[in-house]
PDB file of all heavy atoms in Angstrom:
ATOM      1  N   GLU A  95      98.315  27.786  56.704  1.00 97.00           N
ATOM      2  CA  GLU A  95      99.458  27.853  57.537  1.00 97.00           C
ATOM      3  C   GLU A  95      99.676  29.322  57.932  1.00 97.00           C
ATOM      4  O   GLU A  95      99.871  30.153  57.129  1.00 97.00           O
ATOM      5  CB  GLU A  95     100.710  27.363  56.854  1.00 97.00           C
ATOM      6  CG  GLU A  95     101.989  27.457  57.765  1.00 97.00           C
ATOM      7  CD  GLU A  95     103.303  27.122  57.022  1.00 97.00           C
ATOM      8  OE1 GLU A  95     103.650  27.957  56.136  1.00 97.00           O
ATOM      9  OE2 GLU A  95     103.905  26.145  57.317  1.00 97.00           O
ATOM     10  N   PHE A  96      99.765  29.646  59.192  1.00 98.00           N
ATOM     11  CA  PHE A  96      99.830  31.029  59.752  1.00 98.00           C
ATOM     12  C   PHE A  96     101.363  31.404  59.823  1.00 98.00           C
ATOM     13  O   PHE A  96     102.106  30.617  60.586  1.00 98.00           O
ATOM     14  CB  PHE A  96      99.087  31.201  61.034  1.00 98.00           C
ATOM     15  CG  PHE A  96      97.574  31.526  60.797  1.00 98.00           C
ATOM     16  CD1 PHE A  96      96.828  30.330  60.610  1.00 98.00           C
ATOM     17  CD2 PHE A  96      96.997  32.669  61.012  1.00 98.00           C
ATOM     18  CE1 PHE A  96      95.448  30.554  60.350  1.00 98.00           C
ATOM     19  CE2 PHE A  96      95.674  32.909  60.694  1.00 98.00           C
ATOM     20  CZ  PHE A  96      94.904  31.829  60.473  1.00 98.00           C
ATOM     21  N   VAL A  97     101.790  32.404  59.238  1.00 98.00           N
ATOM     22  CA  VAL A  97     103.136  32.903  59.346  1.00 98.00           C
ATOM     23  C   VAL A  97     103.065  33.821  60.554  1.00 98.00           C
ATOM     24  O   VAL A  97     102.509  34.914  60.553  1.00 98.00           O
ATOM     25  CB  VAL A  97     103.708  33.617  58.070  1.00 98.00           C
ATOM     26  CG1 VAL A  97     104.951  34.059  58.383  1.00 98.00           C
ATOM     27  CG2 VAL A  97     103.609  32.666  56.987  1.00 98.00           C
ATOM     28  N   ILE A  98     103.788  33.640  61.672  1.00 98.00           N
ATOM     29  CA  ILE A  98     103.888  34.410  62.860  1.00 98.00           C
ATOM     30  C   ILE A  98     105.322  35.118  62.898  1.00 98.00           C
ATOM     31  O   ILE A  98     106.329  34.506  63.004  1.00 98.00           O
ATOM     32  CB  ILE A  98     103.748  33.517  64.074  1.00 98.00           C
ATOM     33  CG1 ILE A  98     102.623  32.509  64.055  1.00 98.00           C
ATOM     34  CG2 ILE A  98     103.722  34.295  65.412  1.00 98.00           C
ATOM     35  CD1 ILE A  98     102.531  31.567  65.183  1.00 98.00           C
ATOM     36  N   GLY A  99     105.189  36.425  62.886  1.00 98.00           N
ATOM     37  CA  GLY A  99     106.513  37.367  63.077  1.00 98.00           C
ATOM     38  C   GLY A  99     106.589  37.637  64.450  1.00 98.00           C
ATOM     39  O   GLY A  99     105.625  38.111  64.989  1.00 98.00           O
ATOM     40  N   ILE A 100     107.779  37.322  65.008  1.00 96.00           N
ATOM     41  CA  ILE A 100     108.075  37.708  66.427  1.00 96.00           C
ATOM     42  C   ILE A 100     109.464  38.251  66.474  1.00 96.00           C
ATOM     43  O   ILE A 100     110.414  37.836  65.755  1.00 96.00           O
ATOM     44  CB  ILE A 100     107.843  36.527  67.307  1.00 96.00           C
ATOM     45  CG1 ILE A 100     108.693  35.313  66.954  1.00 96.00           C
ATOM     46  CG2 ILE A 100     106.392  36.227  67.407  1.00 96.00           C
ATOM     47  CD1 ILE A 100     108.601  34.152  68.021  1.00 96.00           C
ATOM     48  N   ASN A 101     109.680  39.091  67.511  1.00 92.00           N
ATOM     49  CA  ASN A 101     111.056  39.600  67.829  1.00 92.00           C
ATOM     50  C   ASN A 101     111.433  38.679  69.058  1.00 92.00           C
ATOM     51  O   ASN A 101     110.689  38.371  69.936  1.00 92.00           O
ATOM     52  CB  ASN A 101     110.955  41.037  68.245  1.00 92.00           C
ATOM     53  CG  ASN A 101     109.942  41.344  69.381  1.00 92.00           C
ATOM     54  OD1 ASN A 101     108.892  40.821  69.435  1.00 92.00           O
ATOM     55  ND2 ASN A 101     110.427  42.267  70.285  1.00 92.00           N
ATOM     56  N   GLU A 102     112.712  38.291  69.078  1.00 90.00           N
ATOM     57  CA  GLU A 102     113.362  37.355  70.052  1.00 90.00           C
ATOM     58  C   GLU A 102     113.375  38.208  71.386  1.00 90.00           C
ATOM     59  O   GLU A 102     113.812  39.387  71.425  1.00 90.00           O
ATOM     60  CB  GLU A 102     114.607  36.838  69.636  1.00 90.00           C
ATOM     61  CG  GLU A 102     114.568  36.017  68.435  1.00 90.00           C
ATOM     62  CD  GLU A 102     115.742  35.183  68.376  1.00 90.00           C
ATOM     63  OE1 GLU A 102     116.273  34.446  69.192  1.00 90.00           O
ATOM     64  OE2 GLU A 102     116.401  35.225  67.163  1.00 90.00           O
ATOM     65  N   ARG A 103     113.001  37.579  72.464  1.00 89.00           N
ATOM     66  CA  ARG A 103     113.028  38.040  73.771  1.00 89.00           C
ATOM     67  C   ARG A 103     113.474  36.998  74.723  1.00 89.00           C
ATOM     68  O   ARG A 103     112.836  35.859  74.664  1.00 89.00           O
ATOM     69  CB  ARG A 103     111.787  38.715  74.253  1.00 89.00           C
ATOM     70  CG  ARG A 103     111.364  40.042  73.531  1.00 89.00           C
ATOM     71  CD  ARG A 103     110.136  40.586  74.019  1.00 89.00           C
ATOM     72  NE  ARG A 103     110.166  40.881  75.367  1.00 89.00           N
ATOM     73  CZ  ARG A 103     109.053  41.263  75.968  1.00 89.00           C
ATOM     74  NH1 ARG A 103     107.859  41.460  75.518  1.00 89.00           N
ATOM     75  NH2 ARG A 103     109.203  41.575  77.403  1.00 89.00           N
ATOM     76  N   ASP A 104     114.347  37.172  75.723  1.00 88.00           N
ATOM     77  CA  ASP A 104     114.645  36.157  76.750  1.00 88.00           C
ATOM     78  C   ASP A 104     113.421  35.789  77.346  1.00 88.00           C
ATOM     79  O   ASP A 104     112.642  36.597  77.765  1.00 88.00           O
ATOM     80  CB  ASP A 104     115.734  36.699  77.709  1.00 88.00           C
ATOM     81  CG  ASP A 104     117.088  36.765  76.926  1.00 88.00           C
ATOM     82  OD1 ASP A 104     117.410  35.905  76.127  1.00 88.00           O
ATOM     83  OD2 ASP A 104     117.901  37.681  77.341  1.00 88.00           O
ATOM     84  N   ILE A 105     113.336  34.523  77.870  1.00 91.00           N
ATOM     85  CA  ILE A 105     112.299  33.847  78.553  1.00 91.00           C
ATOM     86  C   ILE A 105     111.011  33.681  77.702  1.00 91.00           C
ATOM     87  O   ILE A 105     110.499  32.687  77.663  1.00 91.00           O
ATOM     88  CB  ILE A 105     112.044  34.689  79.842  1.00 91.00           C
ATOM     89  CG1 ILE A 105     113.145  34.729  80.700  1.00 91.00           C
ATOM     90  CG2 ILE A 105     110.776  33.976  80.532  1.00 91.00           C
ATOM     91  CD1 ILE A 105     112.942  35.460  82.090  1.00 91.00           C
ATOM     92  N   PHE A 106     110.530  34.742  76.993  1.00 95.00           N
ATOM     93  CA  PHE A 106     109.321  34.674  76.341  1.00 95.00           C
ATOM     94  C   PHE A 106     109.453  33.943  74.950  1.00 95.00           C
ATOM     95  O   PHE A 106     108.674  33.073  74.694  1.00 95.00           O
ATOM     96  CB  PHE A 106     108.837  36.150  76.063  1.00 95.00           C
ATOM     97  CG  PHE A 106     108.336  36.887  77.375  1.00 95.00           C
ATOM     98  CD1 PHE A 106     108.939  37.859  77.833  1.00 95.00           C
ATOM     99  CD2 PHE A 106     107.271  36.224  78.060  1.00 95.00           C
ATOM    100  CE1 PHE A 106     108.595  38.452  79.024  1.00 95.00           C
ATOM    101  CE2 PHE A 106     106.856  36.881  79.210  1.00 95.00           C
ATOM    102  CZ  PHE A 106     107.497  38.053  79.797  1.00 95.00           C
ATOM    103  N   ARG A 107     110.489  34.425  74.238  1.00 95.00           N
ATOM    104  CA  ARG A 107     110.519  33.704  72.847  1.00 95.00           C
ATOM    105  C   ARG A 107     112.056  33.897  72.329  1.00 95.00           C
ATOM    106  O   ARG A 107     112.441  34.970  72.023  1.00 95.00           O
ATOM    107  CB  ARG A 107     109.530  34.391  71.887  1.00 95.00           C
ATOM    108  CG  ARG A 107     109.478  35.783  72.046  1.00 95.00           C
ATOM    109  CD  ARG A 107     108.277  36.322  71.165  1.00 95.00           C
ATOM    110  NE  ARG A 107     108.172  37.829  71.038  1.00 95.00           N
ATOM    111  CZ  ARG A 107     107.447  38.587  71.819  1.00 95.00           C
ATOM    112  NH1 ARG A 107     106.674  38.146  72.633  1.00 95.00           N
ATOM    113  NH2 ARG A 107     107.487  39.888  71.656  1.00 95.00           N
ATOM    114  N   HIS A 108     112.644  32.889  72.192  1.00 93.00           N
ATOM    115  CA  HIS A 108     114.064  32.837  71.931  1.00 93.00           C
ATOM    116  C   HIS A 108     114.506  31.431  71.293  1.00 93.00           C
ATOM    117  O   HIS A 108     113.787  30.425  71.510  1.00 93.00           O
ATOM    118  CB  HIS A 108     115.060  33.210  73.020  1.00 93.00           C
ATOM    119  CG  HIS A 108     114.927  32.279  74.267  1.00 93.00           C
ATOM    120  ND1 HIS A 108     115.666  31.237  74.309  1.00 93.00           N
ATOM    121  CD2 HIS A 108     114.041  32.174  75.216  1.00 93.00           C
ATOM    122  CE1 HIS A 108     115.302  30.531  75.436  1.00 93.00           C
ATOM    123  NE2 HIS A 108     114.300  31.111  76.027  1.00 93.00           N
ATOM    124  N   LYS A 109     115.685  31.434  70.587  1.00 92.00           N
ATOM    125  CA  LYS A 109     116.198  30.109  70.089  1.00 92.00           C
ATOM    126  C   LYS A 109     117.274  29.634  71.067  1.00 92.00           C
ATOM    127  O   LYS A 109     118.018  30.253  71.607  1.00 92.00           O
ATOM    128  CB  LYS A 109     116.772  30.388  68.747  1.00 92.00           C
ATOM    129  CG  LYS A 109     115.682  30.560  67.624  1.00 92.00           C
ATOM    130  CD  LYS A 109     116.332  30.592  66.164  1.00 92.00           C
ATOM    131  CE  LYS A 109     115.319  30.763  65.191  1.00 92.00           C
ATOM    132  NZ  LYS A 109     115.778  30.728  63.855  1.00 92.00           N
ATOM    133  N   ASP A 110     117.089  28.285  71.289  1.00 90.00           N
ATOM    134  CA  ASP A 110     118.037  27.661  72.193  1.00 90.00           C
ATOM    135  C   ASP A 110     119.279  27.270  71.534  1.00 90.00           C
ATOM    136  O   ASP A 110     119.421  27.727  70.421  1.00 90.00           O
ATOM    137  CB  ASP A 110     117.330  26.391  72.962  1.00 90.00           C
ATOM    138  CG  ASP A 110     116.956  25.346  71.856  1.00 90.00           C
ATOM    139  OD1 ASP A 110     117.519  25.326  70.728  1.00 90.00           O
ATOM    140  OD2 ASP A 110     116.095  24.477  72.184  1.00 90.00           O
ATOM    141  N   ALA A 111     120.116  26.564  72.267  1.00 89.00           N
ATOM    142  CA  ALA A 111     121.458  26.284  71.725  1.00 89.00           C
ATOM    143  C   ALA A 111     121.405  25.475  70.419  1.00 89.00           C
ATOM    144  O   ALA A 111     122.337  25.412  69.564  1.00 89.00           O
ATOM    145  CB  ALA A 111     122.310  25.546  72.761  1.00 89.00           C
ATOM    146  N   GLU A 112     120.387  24.599  70.185  1.00 91.00           N
ATOM    147  CA  GLU A 112     120.170  23.839  69.076  1.00 91.00           C
ATOM    148  C   GLU A 112     119.390  24.612  67.956  1.00 91.00           C
ATOM    149  O   GLU A 112     119.189  23.996  66.830  1.00 91.00           O
ATOM    150  CB  GLU A 112     119.354  22.505  69.399  1.00 91.00           C
ATOM    151  CG  GLU A 112     120.208  21.534  70.214  1.00 91.00           C
ATOM    152  CD  GLU A 112     120.368  21.926  71.666  1.00 91.00           C
ATOM    153  OE1 GLU A 112     119.438  22.385  72.263  1.00 91.00           O
ATOM    154  OE2 GLU A 112     121.462  21.648  72.213  1.00 91.00           O
ATOM    155  N   GLY A 113     119.112  25.849  68.189  1.00 91.00           N
ATOM    156  CA  GLY A 113     118.238  26.606  67.164  1.00 91.00           C
ATOM    157  C   GLY A 113     116.883  26.458  67.158  1.00 91.00           C
ATOM    158  O   GLY A 113     116.223  26.820  66.182  1.00 91.00           O
ATOM    159  N   ASN A 114     116.363  25.791  68.206  1.00 94.00           N
ATOM    160  CA  ASN A 114     114.864  25.503  68.254  1.00 94.00           C
ATOM    161  C   ASN A 114     114.229  26.665  69.064  1.00 94.00           C
ATOM    162  O   ASN A 114     114.926  27.142  70.097  1.00 94.00           O
ATOM    163  CB  ASN A 114     114.577  24.248  68.995  1.00 94.00           C
ATOM    164  CG  ASN A 114     115.165  23.069  68.243  1.00 94.00           C
ATOM    165  OD1 ASN A 114     114.961  22.973  67.015  1.00 94.00           O
ATOM    166  ND2 ASN A 114     115.831  22.170  69.018  1.00 94.00           N
ATOM    167  N   TRP A 115     112.994  27.029  68.792  1.00 97.00           N
ATOM    168  CA  TRP A 115     112.331  28.147  69.421  1.00 97.00           C
ATOM    169  C   TRP A 115     111.952  27.593  70.835  1.00 97.00           C
ATOM    170  O   TRP A 115     111.507  26.415  71.073  1.00 97.00           O
ATOM    171  CB  TRP A 115     111.112  28.440  68.780  1.00 97.00           C
ATOM    172  CG  TRP A 115     111.340  29.382  67.566  1.00 97.00           C
ATOM    173  CD1 TRP A 115     111.303  29.034  66.204  1.00 97.00           C
ATOM    174  CD2 TRP A 115     111.730  30.783  67.669  1.00 97.00           C
ATOM    175  NE1 TRP A 115     111.726  30.101  65.460  1.00 97.00           N
ATOM    176  CE2 TRP A 115     111.884  31.215  66.371  1.00 97.00           C
ATOM    177  CE3 TRP A 115     111.817  31.643  68.655  1.00 97.00           C
ATOM    178  CZ2 TRP A 115     112.276  32.528  65.968  1.00 97.00           C
ATOM    179  CZ3 TRP A 115     112.155  32.997  68.358  1.00 97.00           C
ATOM    180  CH2 TRP A 115     112.273  33.381  67.038  1.00 97.00           C
ATOM    181  N   SER A 116     112.077  28.472  71.905  1.00 96.00           N
ATOM    182  CA  SER A 116     111.909  28.099  73.345  1.00 96.00           C
ATOM    183  C   SER A 116     111.288  29.369  73.875  1.00 96.00           C
ATOM    184  O   SER A 116     111.349  30.428  73.433  1.00 96.00           O
ATOM    185  CB  SER A 116     113.094  27.701  74.040  1.00 96.00           C
ATOM    186  OG  SER A 116     112.940  27.207  75.292  1.00 96.00           O
ATOM    187  N   GLY A 117     110.657  29.104  75.111  1.00 96.00           N
ATOM    188  CA  GLY A 117     110.249  30.285  75.903  1.00 96.00           C
ATOM    189  C   GLY A 117     108.726  30.178  76.142  1.00 96.00           C
ATOM    190  O   GLY A 117     107.966  29.348  75.665  1.00 96.00           O
ATOM    191  N   LYS A 118     108.257  31.022  77.089  1.00 97.00           N
ATOM    192  CA  LYS A 118     106.861  31.014  77.516  1.00 97.00           C
ATOM    193  C   LYS A 118     105.919  31.186  76.379  1.00 97.00           C
ATOM    194  O   LYS A 118     104.899  30.531  76.176  1.00 97.00           O
ATOM    195  CB  LYS A 118     106.637  32.011  78.538  1.00 97.00           C
ATOM    196  CG  LYS A 118     105.207  32.166  79.090  1.00 97.00           C
ATOM    197  CD  LYS A 118     105.099  33.074  80.282  1.00 97.00           C
ATOM    198  CE  LYS A 118     103.664  33.116  80.842  1.00 97.00           C
ATOM    199  NZ  LYS A 118     103.594  33.994  82.117  1.00 97.00           N
ATOM    200  N   ASP A 119     106.219  32.247  75.491  1.00 98.00           N
ATOM    201  CA  ASP A 119     105.233  32.517  74.382  1.00 98.00           C
ATOM    202  C   ASP A 119     105.102  31.439  73.364  1.00 98.00           C
ATOM    203  O   ASP A 119     104.241  31.082  72.781  1.00 98.00           O
ATOM    204  CB  ASP A 119     105.703  33.787  73.698  1.00 98.00           C
ATOM    205  CG  ASP A 119     105.352  35.112  74.431  1.00 98.00           C
ATOM    206  OD1 ASP A 119     104.637  34.853  75.517  1.00 98.00           O
ATOM    207  OD2 ASP A 119     105.803  36.193  74.126  1.00 98.00           O
ATOM    208  N   ILE A 120     106.352  30.649  73.220  1.00 98.00           N
ATOM    209  CA  ILE A 120     106.285  29.614  72.314  1.00 98.00           C
ATOM    210  C   ILE A 120     105.453  28.473  72.840  1.00 98.00           C
ATOM    211  O   ILE A 120     104.617  27.873  72.071  1.00 98.00           O
ATOM    212  CB  ILE A 120     107.793  28.979  72.114  1.00 98.00           C
ATOM    213  CG1 ILE A 120     108.669  30.202  71.540  1.00 98.00           C
ATOM    214  CG2 ILE A 120     107.715  27.978  71.074  1.00 98.00           C
ATOM    215  CD1 ILE A 120     108.207  30.877  70.364  1.00 98.00           C
ATOM    216  N   LYS A 121     105.576  28.212  74.170  1.00 98.00           N
ATOM    217  CA  LYS A 121     104.706  27.174  74.800  1.00 98.00           C
ATOM    218  C   LYS A 121     103.213  27.533  74.539  1.00 98.00           C
ATOM    219  O   LYS A 121     102.384  26.638  74.335  1.00 98.00           O
ATOM    220  CB  LYS A 121     104.945  26.933  76.266  1.00 98.00           C
ATOM    221  CG  LYS A 121     106.257  26.375  76.546  1.00 98.00           C
ATOM    222  CD  LYS A 121     106.291  24.819  76.369  1.00 98.00           C
ATOM    223  CE  LYS A 121     107.578  24.201  76.860  1.00 98.00           C
ATOM    224  NZ  LYS A 121     107.558  22.803  76.599  1.00 98.00           N
ATOM    225  N   LEU A 122     102.924  28.900  74.834  1.00 98.00           N
ATOM    226  CA  LEU A 122     101.634  29.365  74.630  1.00 98.00           C
ATOM    227  C   LEU A 122     101.090  29.185  73.161  1.00 98.00           C
ATOM    228  O   LEU A 122      99.979  28.818  72.908  1.00 98.00           O
ATOM    229  CB  LEU A 122     101.389  30.751  75.143  1.00 98.00           C
ATOM    230  CG  LEU A 122     101.524  30.935  76.689  1.00 98.00           C
ATOM    231  CD1 LEU A 122     101.547  32.469  76.970  1.00 98.00           C
ATOM    232  CD2 LEU A 122     100.545  30.218  77.408  1.00 98.00           C
ATOM    233  N   ILE A 123     101.864  29.551  72.168  1.00 98.00           N
ATOM    234  CA  ILE A 123     101.630  29.462  70.742  1.00 98.00           C
ATOM    235  C   ILE A 123     101.148  27.875  70.520  1.00 98.00           C
ATOM    236  O   ILE A 123     100.238  27.659  69.841  1.00 98.00           O
ATOM    237  CB  ILE A 123     102.718  29.843  69.856  1.00 98.00           C
ATOM    238  CG1 ILE A 123     102.860  31.369  70.021  1.00 98.00           C
ATOM    239  CG2 ILE A 123     102.501  29.472  68.486  1.00 98.00           C
ATOM    240  CD1 ILE A 123     104.186  31.942  69.343  1.00 98.00           C
ATOM    241  N   GLU A 124     102.089  27.021  70.969  1.00 98.00           N
ATOM    242  CA  GLU A 124     101.781  25.569  70.666  1.00 98.00           C
ATOM    243  C   GLU A 124     100.405  25.159  71.297  1.00 98.00           C
ATOM    244  O   GLU A 124      99.679  24.497  70.596  1.00 98.00           O
ATOM    245  CB  GLU A 124     102.892  24.808  71.321  1.00 98.00           C
ATOM    246  CG  GLU A 124     104.305  24.864  70.759  1.00 98.00           C
ATOM    247  CD  GLU A 124     105.381  24.340  71.468  1.00 98.00           C
ATOM    248  OE1 GLU A 124     105.049  23.779  72.624  1.00 98.00           O
ATOM    249  OE2 GLU A 124     106.638  24.191  70.981  1.00 98.00           O
ATOM    250  N   ALA A 125     100.159  25.777  72.552  1.00 98.00           N
ATOM    251  CA  ALA A 125      98.905  25.374  73.188  1.00 98.00           C
ATOM    252  C   ALA A 125      97.692  25.839  72.475  1.00 98.00           C
ATOM    253  O   ALA A 125      96.725  25.199  72.451  1.00 98.00           O
ATOM    254  CB  ALA A 125      98.931  25.774  74.548  1.00 98.00           C
ATOM    255  N   VAL A 126      97.812  27.085  71.934  1.00 98.00           N
ATOM    256  CA  VAL A 126      96.748  27.750  71.206  1.00 98.00           C
ATOM    257  C   VAL A 126      96.522  27.091  69.876  1.00 98.00           C
ATOM    258  O   VAL A 126      95.312  26.575  69.600  1.00 98.00           O
ATOM    259  CB  VAL A 126      97.053  29.227  70.927  1.00 98.00           C
ATOM    260  CG1 VAL A 126      96.017  29.785  69.889  1.00 98.00           C
ATOM    261  CG2 VAL A 126      97.057  30.090  72.185  1.00 98.00           C
ATOM    262  N   PHE A 127      97.465  26.785  69.044  1.00 98.00           N
ATOM    263  CA  PHE A 127      97.345  26.117  67.819  1.00 98.00           C
ATOM    264  C   PHE A 127      96.772  24.751  67.966  1.00 98.00           C
ATOM    265  O   PHE A 127      96.238  24.162  67.025  1.00 98.00           O
ATOM    266  CB  PHE A 127      98.599  26.196  67.019  1.00 98.00           C
ATOM    267  CG  PHE A 127      98.642  27.460  66.280  1.00 98.00           C
ATOM    268  CD1 PHE A 127      99.292  28.603  66.710  1.00 98.00           C
ATOM    269  CD2 PHE A 127      98.256  27.476  64.904  1.00 98.00           C
ATOM    270  CE1 PHE A 127      99.366  29.848  65.996  1.00 98.00           C
ATOM    271  CE2 PHE A 127      98.376  28.560  64.089  1.00 98.00           C
ATOM    272  CZ  PHE A 127      98.873  29.710  64.696  1.00 98.00           C
ATOM    273  N   ARG A 128      97.131  23.941  69.020  1.00 98.00           N
ATOM    274  CA  ARG A 128      96.503  22.645  69.299  1.00 98.00           C
ATOM    275  C   ARG A 128      95.087  22.776  69.296  1.00 98.00           C
ATOM    276  O   ARG A 128      94.442  21.727  69.031  1.00 98.00           O
ATOM    277  CB  ARG A 128      97.055  22.013  70.542  1.00 98.00           C
ATOM    278  CG  ARG A 128      98.479  21.473  70.546  1.00 98.00           C
ATOM    279  CD  ARG A 128      98.720  20.533  71.634  1.00 98.00           C
ATOM    280  NE  ARG A 128      98.039  20.759  72.883  1.00 98.00           N
ATOM    281  CZ  ARG A 128      98.752  21.568  73.772  1.00 98.00           C
ATOM    282  NH1 ARG A 128     100.091  21.922  73.517  1.00 98.00           N
ATOM    283  NH2 ARG A 128      98.255  21.807  74.881  1.00 98.00           N
ATOM    284  N   ARG A 129      94.361  23.894  69.589  1.00 98.00           N
ATOM    285  CA  ARG A 129      93.064  24.093  69.796  1.00 98.00           C
ATOM    286  C   ARG A 129      92.356  24.677  68.443  1.00 98.00           C
ATOM    287  O   ARG A 129      91.215  25.166  68.544  1.00 98.00           O
ATOM    288  CB  ARG A 129      92.702  24.926  71.059  1.00 98.00           C
ATOM    289  CG  ARG A 129      93.123  24.270  72.352  1.00 98.00           C
ATOM    290  CD  ARG A 129      93.085  25.268  73.468  1.00 98.00           C
ATOM    291  NE  ARG A 129      93.093  24.521  74.798  1.00 98.00           N
ATOM    292  CZ  ARG A 129      94.188  24.069  75.381  1.00 98.00           C
ATOM    293  NH1 ARG A 129      95.404  24.239  74.777  1.00 98.00           N
ATOM    294  NH2 ARG A 129      94.133  23.298  76.600  1.00 98.00           N
ATOM    295  N   THR A 130      93.149  24.691  67.381  1.00 98.00           N
ATOM    296  CA  THR A 130      92.642  25.233  66.175  1.00 98.00           C
ATOM    297  C   THR A 130      92.954  24.093  65.078  1.00 98.00           C
ATOM    298  O   THR A 130      93.733  23.209  65.346  1.00 98.00           O
ATOM    299  CB  THR A 130      93.338  26.493  65.792  1.00 98.00           C
ATOM    300  OG1 THR A 130      94.628  26.297  65.251  1.00 98.00           O
ATOM    301  CG2 THR A 130      93.413  27.483  66.817  1.00 98.00           C
ATOM    302  N   PRO A 131      92.291  24.297  63.879  1.00 97.00           N
ATOM    303  CA  PRO A 131      92.754  23.369  62.824  1.00 97.00           C
ATOM    304  C   PRO A 131      93.876  23.818  61.952  1.00 97.00           C
ATOM    305  O   PRO A 131      94.172  23.297  60.957  1.00 97.00           O
ATOM    306  CB  PRO A 131      91.490  23.466  61.911  1.00 97.00           C
ATOM    307  CG  PRO A 131      91.004  24.798  62.141  1.00 97.00           C
ATOM    308  CD  PRO A 131      91.246  25.088  63.484  1.00 97.00           C
TER     309      PRO A 131
END
């Protein structure tokens, strides 16, 4: 399990109203990890 440290930034990586991670970088992180074990 990789621990990813990130600073919050609007649009790129931030928590939404429900406290879930959102943004362009988060979508990219998900897409990258889907291609790894």
